[in-house]
């Protein structure tokens, strides 16, 4: 029988990647919606880790299952780490990613390649009944390109480029992105932690 795991996210794009990365017949991974959980979560932590824990604990409070959560975002060094933990709210919650990406590109106009370094960060938290909560972090280093490129992925993928391929993460196949992404790295670490708990 497979173990039920609820992923505390309302982001469908994340959910697609999570299923691809944690593709394991012994785990049945449900989104909050699939689990029939509809709660508003206030993400008022000061770090990716704090926010991931806030989400996982909020959902764990209303069910008996194992709960995982992902808090992630883009850190641009030249902008002092912006948008960081405010990635989904950057330039307003309802602003499209075309606009968010254009705005970031305009703030980076004329900035030399060496100063365009950036990373995606993903904290994954787990609340497992009978265990202390666990949080892990995964990252992927890259740089902000000169223009958006690619149709895959979501969010800031079209402007985030990987150095070795000189293409954006929206130009990578889903398999390539997941094999090196912040989310892939964090979820693979979390899988080891859960295995260590016998899950
Ligand atoms: P949940 O809180 O419901 O999980 P959310 O979209 O609000 O969904 P976050 O608060 O973690 O999630 O915000 C993360 C934002 O960072 C996300 O909306 C994207 O804009 C960006 N982001 C995270 N991972 C990304 C990725 O793999 N590719 C592109 N952008 C990403």
């Amino acid at each position: 029988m497979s173990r039920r795991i609820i992923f505390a996210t309302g982001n469908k794009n994340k959910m697609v990647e999570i299923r691809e990365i944690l593709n394991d017949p012994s785990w049945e991974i449900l989104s909050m919606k699939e689990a029939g959980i509809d709660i508003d979560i206030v993400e008022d932590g000061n770090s990716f880790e704090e926010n991931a824990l806030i989400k996982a604990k909020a959902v764990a409070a209303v069910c008996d299952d194992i709960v995982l959560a992902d808090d992630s975002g883009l850190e641009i060094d030249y902008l002092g780490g912006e948008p960081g933990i405010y990635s989904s709210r950057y330039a307003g919650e309802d602003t499209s990613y075309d606009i968010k990406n254009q705005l970031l590109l305009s703030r980076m106009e004329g900035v030399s390649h060496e100063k365009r370094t950036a990373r995606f960060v993903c904290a994954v938290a787990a609340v497992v009944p009978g265990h202390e909560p666990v949080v892990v972090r995964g990252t992927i280093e890259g740089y902000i390109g000169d223009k958006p490129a690619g149709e895959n992925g979501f969010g800031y993928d079209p402007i985030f480029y990987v150095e070795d391929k000189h293409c954006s993460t929206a130009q990578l196949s889903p398999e390539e992105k997941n094999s090196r992404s912040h989310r892939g790295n964090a979820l693979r670490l979390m899988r080891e932690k859960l295995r260590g708990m016998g899950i």
Side-chain angles (χ1 to χ4, degrees), residues 43-100:
E43 296 176 34
D44 56 1
N46 290 316
S47 65
F48 292 108
E49 281 80 359
E50 279 181 23
N51 281 332
L53 262 176
I54 287 170
K55 292 186 229 186
K57 284 181 177 172
V59 171
V62 297
C63 70
D64 300 324
D65 299 291
I66 297 167
V67 180
L68 301 187
D70 161 318
D71 197 68
S72 45
L74 175 65
E75 286 182 350
I76 302 177
D77 295 324
Y78 183 78
L79 303 179
E82 279 187 53
I85 59 169
Y86 303 106
S87 289
S88 68
R89 289 166 264 175
Y90 180 65
E93 197 127 16
D94 298 327
T95 318
S96 73
Y97 275 90
D98 284 349
I99 291 174
K100 287 183 186 4

Side-chain angles (χ1 to χ4, degrees), residues 7-12 14 17 32 41 43 48 51 55 69-74 84-89 93 97 100 120-122 153-158 160 169 177 181-183:
F7 222 106
T9 180
N11 182 321
K12 289 186 186 136
K14 277 188 190 177
E17 293 190 357
M32 268 184 351
I41 304 172
E43 296 176 34
F48 292 108
N51 281 332
K55 292 186 229 186
D70 161 318
D71 197 68
S72 45
L74 175 65
I85 59 169
Y86 303 106
S87 289
S88 68
R89 289 166 264 175
E93 197 127 16
Y97 275 90
K100 287 183 186 4
F120 276 130
V121 179
C122 175
F154 64 100
Y156 298 105
D157 280 323
F160 181 83
T169 41
K177 180 183 170 189
S181 76
H182 51 316
R183 183 162 298 107

